[in-house]
Amino acid sequence: MSTHAAAGAIDHHHDHTTTTGIPNKKLFMWAFLASDCMFFGALISTHLIYRLHETPNQPDILGIFSLELTSFSTFILLMSSLLMALAVNTCQKGHVGATRKMLLGTILFGLIFLACQVYEFNHFVHLGLTLNSNMFGSTFYTLTGTHGVHVAIGVLWLVLMYIRTFKPADGSPWILKSFIHLLVFAVVIVAGMKALLGGVHALQTAHGLNGEAISLFFEHDFPAIVVSAVGLVALVMLGRDRKAVEFGEANAVDVESMGLYWHFVDIVWIVIFTVVYLLEYI
Amino acid sequence: MSATTHSADSGHGHAEASKFHIFVQLAMILAVITGVEIVLIYIPLVKWFIVTSLVILSLVKFMLVIFIFMHLKWDKLFCTILFFIGLVLAGGTVAALMALFAAHDSIPLKAQEIYAERAAAAQ
Amino acid sequence: MSAHAKTDFVGHDTHAAAPVEKRSWLLTRPTAKTGLVSWLTTVDHKKIGLLYGISALFFFLVGGFEALLIRIQLAVPNNTFISHQLYNELFTMHATTMIFLAVMPLSAAFFNYMMPLQIGARDVAFPRLNGFAFWVFLAGAIVLNIGWFVKSGAPDAGWFGYAPLTSTAYSNQFAGDMSTDLWVMGLQILGVSSVVGSLNFIVTIINMRAPGMTMMRLPVFTWMTLVTAFLIILSFPAITIALVELMMDRSFGTSFFDVSGGGLPILWQHLFWIFGHPEVYILILPAMGIVSEILPTFARKPLFGYPIIVFSGATIGFLGFGVWSHHMFTTGMGTVATAAFSLLTMAIAVPTGVKMFNWIGTLWGGHLQMRTPMMFALGFMWMFMMGGFSGVMHSAAPADAQQQDSYFVVAHFHYVLIGGSIFALLAGIHYWFPLIFGRKVSEFWGKLSFWVIFIGFNVTFFPMHFLGLNGMPRRTAVYDGNMGWNDANLIATVGALVLGVGIAIYFGVMIYTYFKGEKTTHDEWDARTLEWTVPSTPPPEHNFDVIPTVHARDAFWYEKTHKAEIEKEKAEHAKAEQDHGGIHMPSQSWFPIVAATGLLIGAIFFVNHIMIGAIAGGAIMFLGVYLWAVEGPGGYHIHLDDKNHDKH
Amino acid sequence: MVQYLPVTRLTNGTYLLGQMTLPSIFRSLKTRALSCAAVAAMPLFLGGWGNWNWLTGPQSTFDTKGPVAESQLDVFYVTLWVTGITFVIVAGILAYATFKFRARKTDDLKAVIPHQGHGNPLIELGLIGLSVLALVFIAVPTLRAIWYTYDVPAEEKASAYEVNAIGLQWWFKFEYPAEQIDGAGTLVTGNELVIPAGRPVRINLRTSDVIHSFWVPKLAGKVDMIPNRGNHLWLKADEPGYFWGQCAEYCGESHAVMRFRVIALNETDFAAWVAHQKTPARTVAPYSVLNGAPAAPYEFNNPGRNAPGYSADFDKAPFAAWQAKQEIDAGEDPALIAQGRQIFQQKTCTSCHAVRGHEGAGVTAPDLTHIGSRTTIAAGLLENTKQNLHRWIAHPNEVKPGNKMYVGVPLQSGVMAGYVKIDPATGKPEETPHITVSDAEARALVAYLHSLK
Ligand code: HEA
Ligand code: HEA
Ligand code: CUA
Ligand SMILES: [Cu+2]
């Protein structure tokens, strides 16, 4: 039962202080994901059950869905999974700088996915598919919304992990700074999201990237643009560490557990993409 | 627990580098499969074939992510067992629910009304 | 206990050599070992176990009180003791309280207290999370019970809250009735608590076992803890989703269960029972674990067929996920589905029977000591067997068509729930009382309470079989006097009062014993498992002076028969640990209770549709979790002072 | 003593008994006293009392009166025998082991350490095999009965009679799709289902609000009425008779008092009943001749909440009582009836109730066209006597708390006011009731409603 790893070599996946050699956090995460399978199983069942037979006010789903957008966000989520895997990989090698970049990339892709979802929901609502317009709306928004909440929690977790990589090694006070860091992130994310969606909207109203689009964009979203720009600068400033940090290989298991969660959210989307979106087209 | 999972690739720079490539390649494969899926739905083939292929393809993606991105392939067998307990039960439950609700006795009255109205309108 | 242990606190989870961190006041770890703060901030699995236990017993009395009101109303036909409405609230809350706030947390109390001791661990894998699970449980319990004290009344939709009775159209037809919202929210919160707690137990059992404690050497109670924890994490998601959908219906106008929008109320039943049936095994498996500990101890013989008992426990858990629709035999599922669920349900009798047979095998050829815990354990075997048999009668779907929603079901599930779960839990309290409090209940009073409870219980619930077969439906506040139900109901009520007296004796004796009872040495019963190897009763904070090394299934029994070998081994290990920096213990923390309080505040505001308050509650919770993450696991070391220690 | 034991009747049984260690169970005085007590307590359960009715009540599942209930009872008996025998064996061994191996003296509690045996796979597998076998005994008849009770057997399909039963909070509506009335659509009744005896009846189960369940224990096990679900059940009454039924799924405040009755009639009676039901409501002209000496006015004191509404006389011969109810009451007071009919209109009873041929046209409440010929009112709860009807009309909320006649019927567009108007904001009834019925008015209404034969 007890596995004693060869002395010397750092063993990322096995923790000698536990009976099985699997780190507690990782085991916890796997058990949680087993539970989450049932969670999404119940949600997906609900959606499918209501697709088995006609329900009142059935919407014209093909006229509402946009396969391009969904494929794009699916692709984005897959790529974020890649970045997440790389973040774990670099962290295990002790490359804090690379880990941070990968984390930021994952955050960014996660946010793009969320933006797509916000856009999609908005778009669908305009086309008349709302949470309570019909059963399809109810099950669709509940299922994809729950998934979106999972992604959002994942993004929050990633941000917290990213901030944590700056915890100074000498134990000097840091909570306040970390909290400010978090707030700045929140501001950038909200403002950035608004600016991004505003940009897309401008592109659409102006039918393409032209002067009109740009002026529309600045006209409507100036505050958001400014706030996110300032915030970004602040983030860059906060993201330069001068002191030695505590974060290192020992934290690989934290990043890895978070990664498990992130990948799981990804595979749930793989199922949703097929079952909720693609199957409608057949 | 299996001792063989104590694979040589952990902790050695060389092996880690190769994992980097595995990850990137996997991402490509996943993207390609997604592309195939999207194309598939437009191909005029019999329905059951497309549905089966879609299910299989997403299953393949699913398994690839779990075993490679989520590292299950290189981890202790116990993690796999743990996760699959949940996965299998969830899959079984979904299947059982679908079977129950697809049964003739479960056709909702509302759906019957709608079908009847539609049949009446068609005449 | 601090007399024999001197402690030095270190900033975080490194050895004493690491630089001591300068910590802001916000992150100063509480260190009180006694008093209120020590309880509010505790991460000690034993203290948390006691918190669970005490809350559970309190709610058991509440639920029992509700049951007595029910019984008084039913004592005579056409009674006017309470109104229909109150009656409906009473049976809803009686069941919800007994199941979620009494039996489950009482099992959790034993999980918490005993399981780490049984596997030779110093604590659970995530001590702060363990505290969090308890405080969240308390929050859920509060939300569920607020209804009694506010205008809208307590939840009244029955413990399985069938849609569409829970929809706004029927449950607050005329006024802003939030009792159903309280029920929904309360169960959601309890779900969070149960799932978090169970994940913790799973990791603990898998990962924190003492050296040599292989899976096939785990005490059966620990095995059943593991299976139960799996059942919880896999079944609660189903009810969570059902409740989310109900909440969407009630608050956001969806129509998951609303027919006008095409909703299917039957879907609620499926989702509920996908949870609900595993739930009944969540209630019984810990009880079976306790009995599997008590019988060998008092038979002075190892458990008969340990591997098969373990395996059948897991099989019951697994099969339990495939039988849920036996609660829905009368919903017109059609022949094939009914037949399938009928057969699968019968199949469960086999692994359960295996347990029963092996317990008898354990008694066979033993040297049975008829002490109080043993009496309750034997009572369990008899009563559970009877409840199991009426379960098998239900599983025959055509027969169940006459029994479903009649008092026959009420008889069945009280036999398995009281005769099963409660008897075993009461046995467990008696059994481990000397370990937990260092005192022992008087045999006379213990046995007296057993007989009064046993007789009261049977007098209450045996007649209910006849009531059900004679056509009395359950959940009826009144019945007419011409139906042939009068005698049996009156007898049942008298029985319930006797049962109440028995329970009163039981708890009276416990309280007396706590203050005045006969002191015991540890190992009062000449037991067989590791929890009895603690150096003192009550056990010290660090559980074991030396982490035990396990050589056999009944680890303590082995130690007792191989004293010299064990002494030597212990000395070596003690030295190794001392060289390692002493015994490492997790630090206490404020943040679990802060986070749970945020959840409570948020939930209450949400139910009242005050979104600002809900957000504020959420913010408090987030802050709690944030600081919890920032403060880190922490920890300190205990150095045992050997001279003082032996005196305890 | 010994020769009275059944065992002695076996050939060479006497010898066996002498050898067995069974007496060890009966050795101690304490145990003997206990078993005596157990035997003494038996009558408590098995019928020591004069008129023991623990299993013979009006809703007994043992006293079956039709093939569906009977096949369900047969399955029950199978389960009872199998589990009973298993119980006797397992519990016997358990008892034996407990007594045989128990430590007798307190001081030798820790003295002997028994053999530390760990198990015996052969025994265990054997027992698993036996359990499976026992379950097979249950499974086979179970499966057979599942298919049998599901729907009318094919060979009887042709003769099956179809009705619809609809559950509402807290009463039942019955429709007879086979019986169409010119200009008034399907024949509808409430709370008393009349069926042909000796013929399979297929009942479509529907609900218009929450889940209810249709249960007539003597005829068939229950099947639920679930929104958005097309359930059905079938039953057959072997002989004409009168049966008690009950809603068996919790459906809100007054679930306990949501009941109904089923009356099975032979073919000719049934045809006559249907023909009569199709006729519009009976009209008693105010000037018509009295049919006998005027009946003395009845006494009425409100008996209060939950007071019983049944009588021993009725229970003795319920079927005869039903038949008697079909006859016109002696001593009717035509003037009072006419007054009642007027009040029925004035009090807006008509907005909820239908009295076919008279003024009422409501559909949200039980059809009252032939209410006078029903044996019960308020959904099988109260016998249809003058006092009870008076009580129901004057104090419906004390009979059935929260009932829709009192609080109003929720409709798509708001609420149709009942006796009170409920303020949607507070859930409380408004100060002034919407309908009040004085003693005199109630008497007139009773006379009117009882004239509707
Ligand atoms: C502790 C909780 C617990 C346990 C352990 C069980 C155990 C079982 N239950 Fe029970 N059950 C409930 C709690 C429990 N139940 C509750 C709360 C309800 C009602 C919910 C509600 O409606 O409110 C319910 C309702 C319920 C129903 C639905 C009834 C209805 O509403 O119509 C059914 C139907 O099949 C059923 C079956 C069984 C079976 C087959 C078992 C089996 O697991 C029992 C197995 C045990 C034995 C059989 C005895 C020992 C075995 C032997 C000695 C071996 C030999 C035996 C044979 C060969 C037969 N139960
Ligand atoms: C673990 C679960 C559990 C437990 C322990 C109990 C315990 C008891 N229950 Fe039950 N019960 C359920 C679970 C449980 N119950 C469930 C799930 C339902 C279904 C609800 C539904 O339909 O939704 C139900 C329903 C239910 C009903 C049916 C209601 C109905 O359908 O209309 C009845 C009726 O008799 C009843 C009675 C009792 C009694 C008398 C006890 C007794 O064992 C209680 C013993 C405790 C005490 C007696 C109190 C303790 C002592 C004191 C407070 C001291 C003071 C008192 C005295 C000195 C007298 N319960
Ligand atoms: Cu209708 Cu209960
Ligand atoms: Cu069950």
Side-chain angles (χ1 to χ4, degrees):
Chain A
M1 191 54 56
S2 58
T3 46
H4 286 286
I10 291 177
D11 182 354
H12 300 297
H13 313 302
H14 307 156
D15 179 346
H16 330 156
T17 60
T18 66
T19 316
T20 55
I22 306 165
N24 284 347
K25 284 179 186 161
K26 191 158 150 184
L27 203 61
F28 185 94
M29 208 59 220
W30 275 116
F32 170 73
L33 296 183
S35 167
D36 228 20
C37 283
M38 284 299 285
F39 194 81
F40 278 105
L43 272 173
I44 291 172
S45 300
T46 306
H47 181 78
L48 290 181
I49 283 165
Y50 283 120
R51 300 297 294 140
L52 279 174
H53 301 290
E54 201 85 3
T55 48
N57 310 323
Q58 196 67 46
D60 166 26
I61 296 157
L62 292 191
I64 292 172
F65 273 4
S66 147
L67 196 55
E68 294 83 354
L69 181 70
T70 315
S71 312
F72 172 70
S73 56
T74 305
F75 178 76
I76 288 291
L77 206 56
L78 287 174
M79 291 309 117
S80 81
S81 246
L82 171 64
L83 293 177
M84 187 69 241
L86 294 180
V88 176
N89 202 270
T90 50
C91 187
Q92 283 168 349
K93 284 188 269 184
H95 302 167
V96 178
T99 307
R100 281 186 193 145
K101 289 197 190 85
M102 292 304 162
L103 287 178
L104 278 180
T106 317
I107 293 170
L108 183 68
F109 277 39
L111 286 173
I112 295 176
F113 177 86
L114 282 178
C116 288
Q117 198 164 39
V118 172
Y119 175 82
E120 180 187 57
F121 280 13
N122 231 319
H123 184 67
F124 288 3
V125 168
H126 278 296
L127 293 177
L129 183 72
T130 65
L131 182 62
N132 41 28
S133 61
N134 49 49
M135 191 53 80
F136 187 87
S138 303
T139 58
F140 172 82
Y141 286 115
T142 308
L143 172 54
T144 54
T146 308
H147 177 266
V149 170
H150 270 70
V151 177
I153 291 173
V155 168
L156 180 65
W157 193 353
L158 282 158
V159 168
L160 291 175
M161 187 65 74
Y162 172 78
I163 294 174
R164 187 172 157 194
T165 62
F166 295 97
K167 185 176 183 192
D170 60 5
S172 52
W174 168 76
I175 328 180
L176 193 63
K177 192 180 157 204
S178 75
F179 208 74
I180 292 170
H181 206 152
L182 181 66
L183 285 182
V184 174
F185 251 110
V187 169
V188 171
I189 287 173
V190 173
M193 202 72 110
K194 190 165 181 324
L196 184 69
L197 290 173
V200 173
H201 185 72
L203 283 178
Q204 276 179 339
T205 14
H207 301 290
L209 181 59
N210 47 31
E212 193 196 345
I214 294 172
S215 63
L216 259 179
F217 180 44
F218 277 99
E219 214 167 283
H220 284 285
D221 298 297
F222 191 67
I225 297 167
V226 173
V227 171
S228 46
V230 172
L232 269 179
V233 174
L235 269 191
V236 173
M237 305 283 284
L238 283 162
R240 291 187 309 168
D241 62 308
R242 291 163 215 91
K243 291 186 204 155
V245 295
E246 187 201 71
F247 198 85
E249 280 178 73
N251 299 92
V253 60
D254 300 341
V255 182
E256 195 182 349
S257 308
M258 179 177 68
L260 291 181
Y261 175 84
W262 189 261
H263 295 306
F264 180 77
V265 173
D266 186 18
I267 54 177
V268 170
W269 187 256
I270 289 176
V271 176
I272 292 179
F273 180 63
T274 307
V275 174
V276 176
Y277 290 89
L278 291 182
L279 285 188
E280 293 295 336
Y281 286 82
I282 301 169
Chain B
M1 294 300 121
S2 71
T4 47
T5 51
H6 203 87
S7 51
D9 57 2
S10 54
H12 301 285
H14 178 70
E16 291 295 333
S18 71
K19 225 183 246 172
F20 175 86
H21 291 297
I22 293 177
F23 288 158
V24 176
Q25 279 160 6
L26 176 60
M28 299 301 128
I29 294 172
L30 292 175
V32 169
I33 295 181
T34 309
V36 171
E37 284 177 337
I38 296 164
V39 173
L40 205 59
I41 58 171
Y42 291 112
I43 298 178
L45 285 173
V46 274
K47 193 173 161 177
W48 66 262
F49 177 77
I50 301 186
V51 173
T52 327
S53 325
L54 282 180
V55 170
I56 291 175
L57 285 177
S58 67
L59 210 67
V60 169
K61 285 205 287 187
F62 194 97
M63 292 300 163
L64 285 175
V65 174
I66 315 185
F67 279 98
I68 296 177
F69 275 165
M70 293 167 90
H71 226 267
L72 220 39
K73 186 172 164 228
W74 296 283
D75 270 333
K76 298 254 178 189
L77 181 64
F78 187 78
C79 293
T80 312
I81 296 174
L82 186 57
F83 181 69
F84 272 71
I85 290 176
L87 189 61
V88 168
L89 269 180
T93 309
V94 175
L97 279 174
M98 296 310 291
L100 281 166
F101 277 90
H104 176 78
D105 293 82
S106 295
I107 300 176
L109 288 174
K110 265 268 164 5
Q112 290 178 20
E113 271 167 36
I114 296 172
Y115 296 144
E117 263 168 40
R118 195 169 304 158
Q123 272 168 9
Chain C
M1 76 193 77
S2 48
H4 66 267
K6 74 174 194 288
T7 56
D8 63 16
F9 289 86
V10 295
H12 57 94
D13 193 4
T14 53
H15 305 318
V20 177
E21 250 188 88
K22 296 185 284 290
R23 307 206 127 212
S24 82
W25 63 270
L26 206 55
L27 297 188
T28 313
R29 304 302 287 248
T31 56
K33 291 288 162 213
T34 52
L36 187 62
V37 172
S38 79
W39 289 95
L40 297 182
T41 63
T42 186
V43 293
D44 179 355
H45 70 96
K46 297 180 291 303
K47 278 198 161 143
I48 293 172
L50 285 177
L51 286 172
Y52 265 115
I54 289 162
S55 335
L57 292 177
F58 170 75
F59 283 114
F60 176 63
L61 294 183
V62 172
F65 179 68
E66 286 158 359
L68 289 180
L69 294 182
I70 290 176
R71 279 309 336 157
I72 292 171
Q73 165 69 12
L74 294 180
V76 292
N78 301 96
N79 202 355
T80 51
F81 176 60
I82 47 179
S83 69
H84 287 239
Q85 177 59 32
L86 180 59
Y87 184 89
N88 297 343
E89 292 174 14
L90 280 174
F91 72 67
T92 303
M93 287 307 290
H94 160 66
T96 312
T97 303
M98 283 299 194
I99 289 176
F100 294 99
L101 308 181
V103 175
M104 279 183 78
L106 204 52
S107 303
F110 286 121
F111 294 167
N112 263 298
Y113 206 109
M114 293 305 155
M115 181 270 287
L117 292 174
Q118 285 198 328
I119 62 173
R122 289 238 156 83
D123 210 321
V124 292
F126 302 96
R128 287 179 297 167
L129 204 59
N130 205 16
F132 179 69
F134 171 74
W135 297 114
V136 170
F137 156 75
L138 208 59
I142 292 172
V143 171
L144 267 180
N145 278 289
I146 286 179
W148 292 120
F149 307 103
V150 297
K151 191 192 82 191
S152 86
D156 60 356
W159 87 275
F160 38 75
Y162 275 179
L165 198 58
T166 48
S167 69
T168 43
Y170 300 107
S171 86
N172 39 356
Q173 215 156 338
F174 293 112
D177 174 354
M178 60 175 198
S179 64
T180 305
D181 297 294
L182 289 172
W183 184 77
V184 170
M185 187 52 85
L187 288 189
Q188 290 289 43
I189 295 175
L190 290 173
V192 171
S193 160
S194 304
V195 170
V196 164
S198 301
L199 291 172
N200 207 344
F201 294 144
I202 291 176
V203 177
T204 307
I205 296 173
I206 301 294
N207 254 359
M208 309 275 288
R209 283 166 283 143
M213 179 61 88
T214 60
M215 292 306 273
M216 288 319 269
R217 283 180 186 165
L218 285 180
V220 175
F221 176 68
T222 298
W223 252 114
M224 292 306 113
T225 309
L226 183 65
V227 176
T228 307
F230 269 105
L231 289 183
I232 288 177
I233 65 164
L234 296 172
S235 67
F236 268 79
I239 193 180
T240 305
I241 291 306
L243 291 168
V244 165
E245 290 172 355
L246 178 56
M247 202 148 82
M248 304 275 286
D249 275 6
R250 291 182 62 85
S251 302
F252 305 113
T254 57
S255 43
F256 285 104
F257 307 120
D258 174 7
V259 176
S260 61
L264 295 167
I266 191 89
L267 176 62
W268 167 272
Q269 300 194 13
H270 281 288
L271 291 177
F272 183 89
W273 290 116
I274 287 174
F275 150 80
H277 188 79
E279 169 70 19
V280 307
Y281 292 113
I282 292 170
L283 301 174
I284 201 67
L285 287 177
M288 292 178 162
I290 292 172
V291 167
S292 307
E293 297 295 314
I294 291 176
L295 292 179
T297 300
F298 294 95
R300 303 173 59 68
K301 226 174 129 259
L303 196 61
F304 187 86
Y306 170 95
I308 295 204
I309 287 223
V310 166
F311 181 72
S312 60
T315 311
I316 292 173
F318 189 76
L319 276 181
F321 276 96
V323 302
W324 76 83
S325 289
H326 67 211
H327 296 273
M328 300 165 62
F329 281 150
T330 61
T331 58
M333 288 186 296
T335 45
V336 179
T338 305
F341 282 107
S342 202
L343 297 185
L344 271 168
T345 304
M346 289 175 195
I348 285 206
V350 175
T352 319
V354 166
K355 294 205 153 201
M356 193 58 80
F357 300 144
N358 282 295
W359 289 326
I360 297 178
T362 308
L363 299 180
W364 197 272
H367 186 69
L368 312 185
Q369 308 173 9
M370 291 300 177
R371 312 289 281 271
T372 313
M374 183 67 161
M375 302 293 281
F376 274 101
L378 288 173
F380 164 93
M381 286 175 69
W382 284 87
M383 296 299 100
F384 176 74
M385 184 156 52
M386 291 184 60
F389 285 136
S390 52
V392 170
M393 296 179 187
H394 283 310
S395 72
D400 187 59
Q402 293 282 25
Q403 296 157 1
Q404 195 264 350
D405 264 323
S406 79
Y407 263 82
F408 196 82
V409 183
V410 178
H412 158 64
F413 65 70
H414 283 94
Y415 263 85
V416 279
L417 284 169
I418 304 179
S421 310
I422 296 285
F423 268 49
L425 290 165
L426 296 184
I429 294 176
H430 261 299
Y431 179 55
W432 280 307
F433 203 87
L435 174 73
I436 299 174
F437 299 112
R439 288 178 197 267
K440 184 173 71 101
V441 175
S442 124
E443 280 295 314
F444 172 77
W445 287 101
K447 283 194 181 137
L448 181 74
S449 73
F450 168 76
W451 282 112
V452 178
I453 290 175
F454 185 83
I455 292 168
F457 166 70
N458 278 292
V459 174
T460 312
F461 294 103
F462 196 74
M464 289 189 191
H465 292 106
F466 293 88
L467 282 176
L469 295 174
N470 204 11
M472 176 159 172
R474 62 193 281 204
R475 299 172 158 189
T476 46
V478 290
Y479 58 92
D480 271 343
N482 60 342
M483 307 300 282
W485 302 333
N486 304 4
D487 308 338
N489 268 305
L490 185 61
I491 293 174
T493 301
V494 172
L497 293 174
V498 174
L499 179 55
V501 171
I503 305 261
I505 298 176
Y506 185 98
F507 286 106
V509 173
M510 283 296 160
I511 293 168
Y512 173 84
T513 311
Y514 176 79
F515 291 107
K516 294 253 169 69
E518 179 194 342
K519 291 226 163 113
T520 60
T521 57
H522 72 281
D523 198 19
E524 164 64 25
W525 314 116
D526 194 12
R528 314 175 73 87
T529 39
L530 272 186
E531 74 267 29
W532 299 98
T533 64
V534 292
S536 61
T537 53
E541 194 196 2
H542 58 280
N543 293 354
F544 304 101
D545 290 350
V546 181
I547 292 285
T549 305
V550 179
H551 300 275
R553 195 169 284 154
D554 286 337
F556 188 28
W557 191 263
Y558 181 91
E559 288 191 13
K560 282 191 265 194
T561 46
H562 299 72
K563 285 213 173 76
E565 175 196 341
I566 297 292
E567 284 302 322
K568 192 161 146 271
E569 192 180 77
K570 284 214 161 136
E572 279 169 24
H573 288 209
K575 189 167 174 309
E577 191 149 11
Q578 196 56 41
D579 295 345
H580 200 70
I583 296 168
H584 178 254
M585 297 299 296
S587 298
Q588 282 157 243
S589 169
W590 278 108
F591 299 120
I593 193 174
V594 171
T597 310
L599 184 61
L600 176 62
I601 294 172
I604 291 176
F605 278 115
F606 184 87
V607 168
N608 285 289
H609 297 283
I610 302 174
M611 285 310 145
I612 310 252
I615 291 169
I620 295 175
M621 176 161 158
F622 177 76
L623 213 68
V625 174
Y626 188 77
L627 293 172
W628 172 347
V630 170
E631 78 173 353
Y636 61 92
H637 289 105
I638 297 177
H639 303 283
L640 294 181
D641 185 296
D642 284 330
K643 278 179 211 142
N644 286 341
H645 160 220
D646 278 345
K647 291 195 182 125
H648 283 260
Chain D
M1 173 96 203
V2 169
Q3 61 260 39
Y4 293 112
L5 285 172
V7 195
T8 48
R9 280 191 216 119
L10 297 171
T11 39
N12 64 24
T14 342
Y15 179 68
L16 257 177
L17 197 90
Q19 230 194 11
M20 261 165 52
T21 45
L22 238 175
S24 67
I25 297 174
F26 291 98
R27 202 178 293 141
S28 80
L29 240 159
K30 198 172 88 188
T31 346
R32 201 169 299 167
L34 259 176
S35 49
C36 281
V39 172
M42 286 304 262
L44 220 86
F45 296 124
L46 297 180
W49 287 327
N51 58 341
W52 191 68
N53 54 359
W54 281 37
L55 289 176
T56 54
Q59 283 181 197
S60 166
T61 60
F62 283 91
D63 188 13
T64 60
K65 290 291 189 306
V68 177
E70 205 175 296
S71 81
Q72 287 160 336
L73 181 64
D74 289 345
V75 175
F76 175 73
Y77 273 130
V78 173
T79 64
L80 188 65
W81 277 107
V82 172
T83 56
I85 293 170
T86 319
F87 181 77
V88 169
I89 298 171
V90 180
I93 298 173
L94 173 57
Y96 177 74
T98 313
F99 283 102
K100 171 95 201 289
F101 297 108
R102 118 195 101 119
R104 261 151 251 272
K105 278 182 286 169
T106 30
D107 45 323
D108 80 343
L109 278 183
K110 296 192 178 179
V112 198
I113 292 181
H115 173 63
Q116 302 287 302
H118 283 279
N120 183 332
L122 226 66
I123 295 182
E124 288 166 39
L125 284 178
L127 289 171
I128 292 178
L130 282 178
S131 314
V132 173
L133 191 73
L135 291 172
V136 170
F137 277 113
I138 300 180
V140 173
T142 296
L143 292 183
R144 204 179 307 130
I146 288 175
W147 264 266
Y148 178 70
T149 55
Y150 174 71
D151 208 344
V152 184
E155 61 274 15
E156 290 188 273
K157 273 251 158 65
S159 69
Y161 190 78
E162 188 157 333
V163 293
N164 301 336
I166 299 142
L168 296 93
Q169 273 176 333
W170 288 279
W171 60 284
F172 288 91
K173 181 193 269 184
F174 299 113
E175 293 174 353
Y176 292 76
E179 319 300 343
Q180 296 297 329
I181 308 166
D182 291 335
T186 313
L187 172 63
V188 178
T189 67
N191 298 325
E192 290 193 348
L193 175 64
V194 179
I195 55 166
R199 232 170 113 180
V201 180
R202 192 179 195 276
I203 306 176
N204 298 311
L205 302 167
R206 302 289 183 268
T207 167
S208 76
D209 39 49
V210 300
I211 303 176
H212 305 275
S213 191
F214 182 95
W215 188 26
V216 200
K218 291 194 177 186
L219 296 180
K222 64 189 75 61
V223 175
D224 297 348
M225 307 159 129
I226 300 175
N228 210 357
R229 205 176 160 85
N231 280 350
H232 63 84
L233 70 74
W234 81 279
L235 49 77
K236 184 160 90 176
D238 290 333
E239 303 288 334
Y242 187 93
F243 308 99
W244 271 251
Q246 163 102 30
C247 171
E249 186 63 77
Y250 175 57
C251 52
E253 188 169 1
S254 270
H255 156 70
V257 286
M258 175 168 173
R259 305 178 194 163
F260 65 105
R261 306 286 163 101
V262 175
I263 297 101
L265 300 178
N266 66 33
E267 211 56 56
T268 42
D269 285 352
F270 182 69
W273 179 83
V274 168
H276 178 65
Q277 289 294 309
K278 285 178 165 177
T279 60
R282 170 168 169 257
T283 306
V284 181
Y287 42 81
S288 62
V289 217
L290 297 186
N291 57 348
Y298 57 89
E299 291 236 6
F300 180 76
N301 294 307
N302 180 15
R305 200 157 68 81
N306 293 0
Y310 60 89
S311 66
D313 282 351
F314 181 94
D315 286 356
K316 255 180 237 146
F319 191 54
W322 182 84
Q323 279 162 329
K325 259 293 177 206
Q326 308 310 305
E327 310 298 330
I328 292 166
D329 296 353
E332 283 183 328
D333 180 344
L336 197 60
I337 290 172
Q339 195 196 342
R341 181 169 170 181
Q342 239 170 8
I343 296 173
F344 191 72
Q345 206 174 347
Q346 285 160 5
K347 296 280 175 188
T348 68
C349 312
T350 46
S351 59
C352 296
H353 291 285
V355 180
R356 200 161 14 90
H358 291 187
E359 296 75 17
V363 292
T364 55
D367 183 295
L368 299 182
T369 310
H370 298 283
I371 180 74
S373 64
R374 282 188 224 154
T375 51
T376 61
I377 50 166
L381 183 62
L382 309 176
E383 266 157 39
N384 192 2
T385 62
K386 290 191 164 67
Q387 281 91 343
N388 277 337
L389 188 53
H390 186 131
R391 181 178 155 207
W392 169 249
I393 294 171
H395 311 281
N397 209 37
E398 286 180 22
V399 175
K400 207 179 246 195
N403 77 79
K404 304 294 181 217
M405 172 151 140
Y406 183 76
V407 301
V409 179
L411 301 174
Q412 232 92 37
S413 51
V415 176
M416 184 186 293
Y419 276 44
V420 293
K421 261 191 189 147
I422 304 268
D423 179 358
T426 61
K428 294 224 165 62
E430 280 175 5
E431 287 289 316
T432 42
H434 181 65
I435 301 176
T436 46
V437 183
S438 69
D439 187 71
E441 287 165 345
R443 283 170 195 274
L445 281 168
V446 167
Y448 169 59
L449 292 171
H450 271 183
S451 78
L452 299 174
K453 287 292 178 177

